Amino acid sequence: MSALEETVKGLKYNADGLIPAVVVDAESKAVLMLAYMNETALLETVGTGKTHFWSRSRRKYWMKGESSGHTQQVRAIYTDCDADTLVIEVVQSGAACHDGYFSCFYRRLNEAGRWDVVAPKMFDPDEVYKKKSGE
Amino acid sequence: MSALEETVKGLKYNADGLIPAVVVDAESKAVLMLAYMNETALLETVGTGKTHFWSRSRRKYWMKGESSGHTQQVRAIYTDCDADTLVIEVVQSGAACHDGYFSCFYRRLNEAGRWDVVAPKMFDPDEVYKKKSGE
């Protein structure tokens, strides 16, 4: 087993064999999205230099950007004290969110207890995904 | 029901009633930690302006900093497109990680496939937690 395989095995996965991965923009450090990896998705991410995840709803691997072209080039991978979460620094092509925003976290809680959209829309999802199901 | 209570109810929680909360430093945007909230912990976080979580291992609420004094003053709360993850911007007192680092994500994967510690230690955990169990 390679050092990398040992390291990947050494992380703590949940009952479904998944670990949450917080994807952040390498330059601004803005959180772009959170998605889940299993051992295979993480090895694929390291091996290809592009983020791969396990889709819990579709029960399959996916490469971020496989439909939209909005891939994520990996710059660095971190883990936390408990080794049960990852932070992945990436260079984002286009925008991370299939709703058309650079980050999926485009809504902020306001004083009235409701969500405000606080980011500009960067693309029209209908155009980019051509009515295919979003990622 | 208040607007805030409706908003909190409108988020998507996992089978255990939890939602992951990515805590980031309000200034540098560095990811400090990931922990889990339920509806009550989130309402408590908004109400007090200090982060509260649900501990999955200890099955109880905890305020970040309750043992260490290293509390987190909330500056903003964001949710993502799927409404199943939160980002909480905070001003961190002391350091976020009970291992003594500012961020829990103090280890980076190196070329050889192993973790390197890439952050300076800010305090001695034995000193701060006085041999109490860490947070």
Side-chain angles (χ1 to χ4, degrees):
Chain A
M1 197 186 299
S2 71
L4 176 63
E5 285 167 335
E6 261 179 56
T7 296
V8 167
K9 269 207 188 313
L11 294 168
K12 278 180 218 141
Y13 301 87
N14 70 15
D16 298 321
L18 300 175
I19 186 167
V22 181
V23 181
V24 306
D25 183 73
E27 199 157 331
S28 69
K29 309 301 178 196
V31 178
L32 299 176
M33 54 185 278
L34 182 139
Y36 293 83
M37 293 183 174
N38 56 16
E39 290 187 22
T40 306
L42 177 52
L43 286 168
E44 198 71 7
T45 296
V46 176
T48 64
K50 293 208 155 90
T51 53
H52 288 69
F53 303 98
W54 175 257
S55 166
R56 296 175 301 167
S57 54
R58 294 175 294 153
R59 306 198 58 75
K60 65 184 275 286
Y61 295 102
W62 59 289
M63 185 184 77
K64 173 66 191 167
E66 66 187 12
S67 327
S68 62
H70 296 164
T71 54
Q72 295 172 333
Q73 193 72 42
V74 176
R75 283 284 178 272
I77 298 177
Y78 299 83
T79 195
D80 66 341
C81 42
D82 297 327
D84 64 0
T85 306
L86 299 170
V87 165
I88 320 266
E89 279 186 4
V90 304
V91 176
Q92 173 71 54
S93 297
C97 183
H98 69 267
D99 285 350
Y101 299 91
F102 187 62
S103 162
C104 294
F105 296 90
Y106 58 83
R107 289 179 293 172
R108 187 170 59 203
L109 192 65
N110 68 23
E111 292 284 318
R114 295 193 175 86
W115 298 113
D116 285 335
V117 172
V118 292
K121 219 165 194 173
M122 295 182 66
F123 67 82
D124 176 357
D126 287 345
E127 204 42 48
V128 166
Y129 293 96
K130 303 287 188 199
K131 283 166 194 138
K132 282 189 290 192
S133 66
E135 290 189 344
Chain B
M1 200 185 299
S2 72
L4 176 64
E5 284 167 335
E6 262 180 54
T7 296
V8 167
K9 268 206 187 317
L11 294 167
K12 278 181 217 140
Y13 301 86
N14 69 16
D16 298 321
L18 301 177
I19 187 168
V22 181
V23 181
V24 307
D25 182 75
E27 199 157 331
S28 68
K29 309 299 178 197
V31 178
L32 299 176
M33 55 184 279
L34 181 138
Y36 293 83
M37 292 183 175
N38 57 14
E39 290 186 22
T40 306
L42 177 51
L43 286 169
E44 197 71 8
T45 296
V46 176
T48 63
K50 294 210 155 89
T51 53
H52 287 69
F53 304 98
W54 175 257
S55 167
R56 297 175 302 167
S57 54
R58 293 175 295 155
R59 308 198 58 74
K60 64 185 277 286
Y61 294 102
W62 59 288
M63 185 185 79
K64 173 67 189 164
E66 65 188 10
S67 327
S68 62
H70 297 164
T71 53
Q72 295 172 334
Q73 193 72 40
V74 176
R75 283 285 178 268
I77 297 176
Y78 299 83
T79 195
D80 66 342
C81 43
D82 297 327
D84 63 1
T85 307
L86 300 170
V87 165
I88 319 265
E89 281 185 3
V90 304
V91 176
Q92 173 71 56
S93 298
C97 182
H98 68 268
D99 285 349
Y101 298 92
F102 188 61
S103 162
C104 293
F105 296 90
Y106 58 83
R107 289 179 294 172
R108 186 169 62 202
L109 192 66
N110 67 23
E111 291 286 317
R114 296 194 174 87
W115 298 115
D116 286 334
V117 171
V118 293
K121 218 164 196 175
M122 295 180 67
F123 67 81
D124 176 356
D126 287 345
E127 206 40 50
V128 167
Y129 293 99
K130 304 284 187 202
K131 282 163 194 141
K132 281 188 292 191
S133 66
E135 288 188 344

